[in-house]
Amino acid sequence: DIAVEVGRTGVLTPRAVLEPVYLGGVTVSSATLHNADYVSERDIRIGDTVVLKRAGEVIPQVLRALPELRSGEEPVWQMPERCPVCDAPVMRYPGEVAYYCENPACPAQVVSRVEFFVSRGAMDIAGFGEKQAEVFVAEGLVREIADIYDLPLHRQTLLAMEGFGEKKVDNLLAAIEASKGQ
């Protein structure tokens, strides 16, 4: 299959969803397709058998399809006209390769921005990663970066959430408070 991911800047990126395959020492079940032009130029279709490579020995990428193995039932893929996460319009600006979700409040964008903000290379908030960002956005506790600093006001709500015990919550809130001085 070809799925579309929405990044923190709203860029939509196609990703190949694969039958798991062993590649370069790891089992791979998805691979980058870079952008819509990459998919179109290489005539990669849903259901294709593809050739993979680990770019830079790390990121799996689809190099090409094997059209000689097609059944004739493989549909041509197109970038969606609406965001697969929030259903906002998707735009492609003249001269650009990227397609964008036009909604800055798109949950996928918010999660990615929060994840980037709390990462080691930014505010380095220990105990706050992708999973926490997903939960807090889904629960409506975080709608923008500034909401991270309101989480201490929601201690009881956090304690009531599955997987958030007292020690975990207290450590997380302490890490958020400590990041304020950075």
Side-chain angles (χ1 to χ4, degrees), residues 3-85:
V4 176
E5 296 177 340
V6 182
R8 68 183 165 92
T9 61
V11 172
L12 276 64
T13 304
R15 176 181 50 85
V17 180
L18 310 167
E19 290 181 19
V21 60
Y22 192 74
L23 176 67
V26 297
T27 300
V28 175
S29 59
S30 68
T32 185
L33 289 168
H34 303 291
N35 56 57
D37 290 349
Y38 187 90
V39 175
S40 177
E41 289 165 1
R42 287 163 180 76
D43 190 25
I44 299 169
R45 299 181 184 190
I46 295 170
D48 268 343
T49 300
V50 295
V51 175
L52 301 173
K53 173 185 173 184
R54 286 184 67 197
E57 300 293 321
V58 179
I59 301 169
Q61 72 177 18
V62 174
L63 294 179
R64 61 187 172 90
L66 299 173
E68 63 273 15
L69 298 179
R70 287 182 181 152
S71 68
E73 301 291 318
E74 296 80 4
V76 174
W77 178 83
Q78 292 183 0
M79 185 64 76
E81 294 180 7
R82 303 201 63 85
C83 175
V85 176

